[in-house]
Amino acid sequence: QARAMASTRGVVLGLVVALFSIIIFNTLTYRSLQVSLSHEERDHAHSYNLYTNKQLATRLSKAINIETISHEDRSKTDYAKFKELHRYLEATFPKCHSYLEREVVNEYSLLFTWRGHDPSLLPVMLAAHLDVVPPTADLDDVGADPRKNFSGWEHQPFSGDVDDEFIWGRGSMDDKLSVMGIMEAAENLLGEHHKPQRTLYIAFGHDEEIGGDHGAKKISELLQSRGVKLSLVLDEGLPILVGMFPGVSQPVASVGAAEKGFLSLELTVRAKGGHSSMPPAHSAIGILSQAIVNIENNPMPLSPDSALQLLDWVGREGPWWMRIVFSNMWLFKHPLLYALQKTPTFNALLRTTTAVTVIQGGVKANVLPTQARVIINHRIAPGNTVEQVIAHDRDAINDPEVEIRVMESLDPAPVSPSSSREFKTVQRATLQVFQDVLVVPGVMLANTDTRHYWSLTPNIFRFLPQAQTKEDLARFHGYNERISIENYAKIVDFYYHFIRLQYNQ
C-alpha cells in the first residue's frame, strides 16, 4: 500500500512538473506580432510637411461648418450642402482635382483615381464619408434647425471652433477628419511629385450614416462594372484606445479586421382588447413581456474567435501574468471567457448581443390593448449568421402567439486575415507616426460603408488613428464631438505614410 501511494505521488508530481513545464515553455516562446521598422521609418525621414498643425485645424474647421447631415427620412436631407462641400474640397485641394481622375457618383458621392505606374498590381482604396449624423438624437423627429442653439454642446455642433487644443464640431471625429486627412496627404504628395506604384482609389460616400445604399454601394457597383478588384480597403473604424486594457501601459491601435452584422426584429402580439374590468389571464402586453424576458434570459452562445485574436495580440505585449494566461489558452480559456463576459464591453466583443430598443402597446388606462409591439436589435458576432439568430430567438420565445418579422439584417463581414501583407501595411503606417502604440486586429461593433466593398477584396480594415479614452467614446454620435489639433495632424501624417507605402510594393 505504501508503495502504491508513493507511486501515485510520483505520478501526480510528474504531471504537475509537466504542466508547469508546458506553461513556462509556452510563456517564454510567446513572441510579439508587431512589425519592425527600418531606421529610416523610425527616424521619420519622410513626413507630411505642407501646413502647420494650426493651419490643418482651420482647414478641417471649414469642412465642419458645412452641415452635410444625413436624415433617415431622406426628404429632410439638404443635398445642396453636399455640393457645397464638393466645392470646398475642389478649392482647398487644387492638385488633387487637377492630377487625379475625379468622378461624382450618384450626384453626391466622390471617387478619385490616382493611377499607379504598375497596372499589374491590384489597387488599394482609402474610404471615408461626407455625411454626419444630426447634432441631437431627436433631430429627425422634431425637424429642428441644425443652426439653432444646442444646449448640450460646449461649442455649437457646426461651429468648427478651434481653441488651443481641440477642433470642435460634428464630423471632427466621424468622419470629416478622414475626408480632409486623406486629401491633405494626397495634396502634399502630389506637390512632391510622387506617383504610387499601384493605383489608389479615394472613395467618399455621402450617406454612410443611413446605410450607404446611395453612396458607397453605387461606388462599389461602378468599380465592379469595370472589373476592378482591390488589394486592400482602409475605411474609418476603430480608434487608438488609451488606458482600456488592464496591465497594458501602451495605447492599443485596434484595426477592425472583423465587423459585426445586425438584425432588427419586430415582435407583435395581437388580442381582442376590451375593457380592463374583464381582462384575460394574459394581455397582449403580458404575453409580449414574457417573450422579451425569454430572449434576454437566453443570450446567444459565445462566438469569441475574433475577440480572442485581439486579446492574443495584446497579451503578447503585457506583463508576465498576462503572457502566462494568453499563451496557455488551452488551460485558461474557459475561466477567462467566463470572467470577461461579465463586463458589457467584452461581452459585446465575445457574442451576438441583444437589446430591446422600442416598445409600444396600450393607449388608455382602462382599455385592453389590441396589439403590443417591440423591436429587438441584435449585433451579430463573427461566426454567427442572421438565420441562426432568428432561429435562436424563435426557440427562446417558444410562443406561437408572438409574430416575428425581420425589419433589417446584415450578416457579419468576412474576417480579413491579420497575417497578410495588407494588414502589415496598416501596421507599418501606424507605427511610423504613433511609435509607442500596439497595432492589433480588432472587432468593429458598429457598421461602416465597407459592407458594400466585400466583393472587391478579402482585405478590408476599419481604422482611424484618433486616440480615445473611455470617456471620449461617448462623443461619437453624441455631444461635444472633438479631435485634438495634434492628433488630427498625426492622422494626416498617417495617411501620408500609408500612401507612400504604395510606392514600392
Side-chain angles (χ1 to χ4, degrees):
Q1 186 176 2
R3 189 176 300 144
M5 290 180 62
S7 176
T8 301
R9 283 197 298 269
V11 170
V12 171
L13 179 61
L15 290 173
V16 170
V17 170
L19 175 65
F20 276 94
S21 298
I22 292 170
I23 291 173
I24 292 170
F25 176 80
N26 288 345
T27 303
L28 293 176
T29 57
Y30 197 46
R31 303 300 186 191
S32 173
L33 294 173
Q34 300 302 300
V35 296
S36 298
L37 300 183
S38 67
H39 290 297
E40 181 181 3
E41 290 172 317
R42 284 198 302 271
D43 293 342
H44 244 204
H46 301 283
S47 191
Y48 176 86
N49 57 22
L50 189 57
Y51 291 104
T52 66
N53 291 7
K54 198 74 170 184
Q55 288 173 322
L56 286 172
T58 300
R59 288 156 69 88
L60 173 58
S61 168
K62 292 178 180 178
I64 292 170
N65 293 156
I66 304 170
E67 301 154 9
T68 51
I69 303 171
S70 277
H71 294 273
E72 292 291 344
D73 180 354
R74 292 180 184 268
S75 67
K76 293 181 180 179
T77 298
D78 184 355
Y79 288 106
K81 295 296 184 182
F82 290 85
K83 291 295 188 182
E84 182 181 346
L85 182 55
H86 290 186
R87 291 191 294 271
Y88 175 68
L89 294 176
E90 186 171 5
T92 307
F93 303 107
K95 290 184 177 64
C96 288
H97 286 76
S98 296
Y99 298 110
L100 306 186
E101 300 168 30
R102 174 185 179 270
E103 298 175 87
V104 179
V105 180
N106 200 23
E107 297 189 77
Y108 307 110
S109 292
L110 296 173
L111 177 65
F112 295 88
T113 305
W114 191 348
R115 296 291 175 190
H117 58 75
D118 188 347
S120 68
L121 296 175
L122 290 177
V124 300
M125 177 190 282
L126 285 171
H129 60 89
L130 304 172
D131 61 323
V132 298
V133 295
T136 61
D138 63 345
L139 186 60
D140 272 318
D141 298 326
V142 301
D145 183 343
R147 291 175 292 265
K148 78 172 189 177
N149 182 50
F150 289 96
S151 58
W153 288 76
E154 295 177 39
H155 298 257
Q156 291 305 292
F158 296 102
S159 66
D161 286 348
V162 180
D163 59 24
D164 291 337
E165 188 175 1
F166 295 104
I167 310 157
W168 297 81
R170 187 61 94 214
S172 60
M173 294 170 71
D174 181 18
D175 181 40
K176 285 181 180 173
L177 77 169
S178 295
V179 172
M180 294 295 291
I182 292 167
M183 296 297 280
E184 295 284 11
E187 189 80 1
N188 192 172
L189 287 163
L190 286 166
E192 295 173 351
H193 307 292
H194 288 292
K195 184 177 182 179
Q197 189 170 5
R198 61 177 74 236
T199 293
L200 173 70
Y201 290 103
I202 299 173
F204 298 148
H206 72 272
D207 64 340
E208 188 272 348
E209 299 293 1
I210 50 175
D213 289 339
H214 292 192
K217 184 177 181 180
K218 298 301 181 183
I219 293 172
S220 179
E221 289 172 353
L222 177 63
L223 293 175
Q224 289 180 65
S225 73
R226 296 171 178 172
V228 171
K229 291 291 184 182
L230 301 174
S231 167
L232 162 69
V233 172
L234 178 63
D235 196 1
E236 62 160 341
L238 297 170
I240 296 174
L241 302 170
V242 180
M244 294 193 201
F245 287 87
V248 179
S249 59
Q250 293 169 268
V252 176
S254 184
V255 179
E259 181 174 299
K260 279 190 155 187
F262 63 83
L263 169 65
S264 290
L265 293 176
E266 180 187 61
L267 310 183
T268 304
V269 176
R270 307 180 195 278
K272 292 181 178 179
H275 197 278
S276 62
S277 61
M278 293 183 292
H282 300 287
S283 68
I285 292 176
I287 295 170
L288 186 63
S289 298
Q290 185 61 56
I292 295 170
V293 170
N294 289 350
I295 288 177
E296 289 192 330
N297 286 346
N298 292 276
M300 286 285 293
L302 294 179
S303 183
D305 288 353
S306 292
L308 288 177
Q309 183 185 43
L310 171 127
L311 294 172
D312 173 48
W313 281 57
V314 172
R316 293 170 184 270
E317 315 300 328
W320 64 269
W321 61 264
M322 189 177 286
R323 294 198 300 275
I324 288 174
V325 171
F326 288 108
S327 64
N328 292 281
M329 291 298 285
W330 60 275
L331 181 61
F332 297 112
K333 177 179 178 179
H334 293 295
L336 178 67
L337 291 177
Y338 178 82
L340 289 176
Q341 66 181 298
K342 299 300 181 183
T343 65
T345 300
F346 281 106
N347 185 61
L349 289 171
L350 292 168
R351 64 152 43 94
T352 294
T353 55
T354 300
V356 180
T357 55
V358 176
I359 190 164
Q360 297 169 337
V363 294
K364 201 169 184 291
N366 62 350
V367 177
L368 295 170
T370 58
Q371 179 177 297
R373 167 182 177 268
V374 70
I375 295 176
I376 309 288
N377 181 256
H378 294 286
R379 296 291 169 160
I380 306 175
N384 294 150
T385 66
V386 168
E387 292 304 318
Q388 286 174 343
V389 179
I390 294 172
H392 178 88
D393 283 1
R394 196 181 301 278
D395 290 342
I397 294 168
N398 192 28
D399 189 339
E401 291 192 74
V402 180
E403 302 172 14
I404 301 175
R405 181 177 75 88
V406 176
M407 300 178 68
E408 58 177 354
S409 65
L410 178 72
D411 278 321
V415 179
S416 298
S418 57
S419 59
S420 65
R421 177 193 62 80
E422 289 78 7
F423 183 83
K424 289 180 172 58
T425 298
V426 181
Q427 263 191 309
R428 191 173 297 279
T430 304
L431 291 170
Q432 285 178 332
V433 182
F434 303 88
Q435 296 186 4
D436 63 334
V437 306
L438 305 177
V439 186
V440 304
V443 183
M444 185 76 182
L445 302 184
N447 297 109
T448 64
D449 270 342
T450 58
R451 75 184 80 175
H452 302 296
Y453 300 131
W454 293 356
S455 61
L456 298 177
T457 177
N459 299 297
I460 297 178
F461 300 105
R462 306 148 188 92
F463 177 59
L464 177 54
Q466 48 183 320
Q468 302 294 326
T469 64
K470 187 175 182 180
E471 292 71 28
D472 290 324
L473 296 180
R475 299 179 189 274
F476 284 99
H477 290 198
Y479 293 119
N480 300 315
E481 196 175 327
R482 70 184 189 186
I483 184 75
S484 79
I485 295 170
E486 180 183 5
N487 195 171
Y488 176 59
K490 287 187 174 183
I491 288 170
V492 173
D493 201 23
F494 163 78
Y495 287 123
Y496 178 96
H497 285 283
F498 179 87
I499 297 171
R500 276 189 60 86
L501 284 171
Q502 312 313 317
Y503 295 167
N504 300 305
Q505 293 184 2

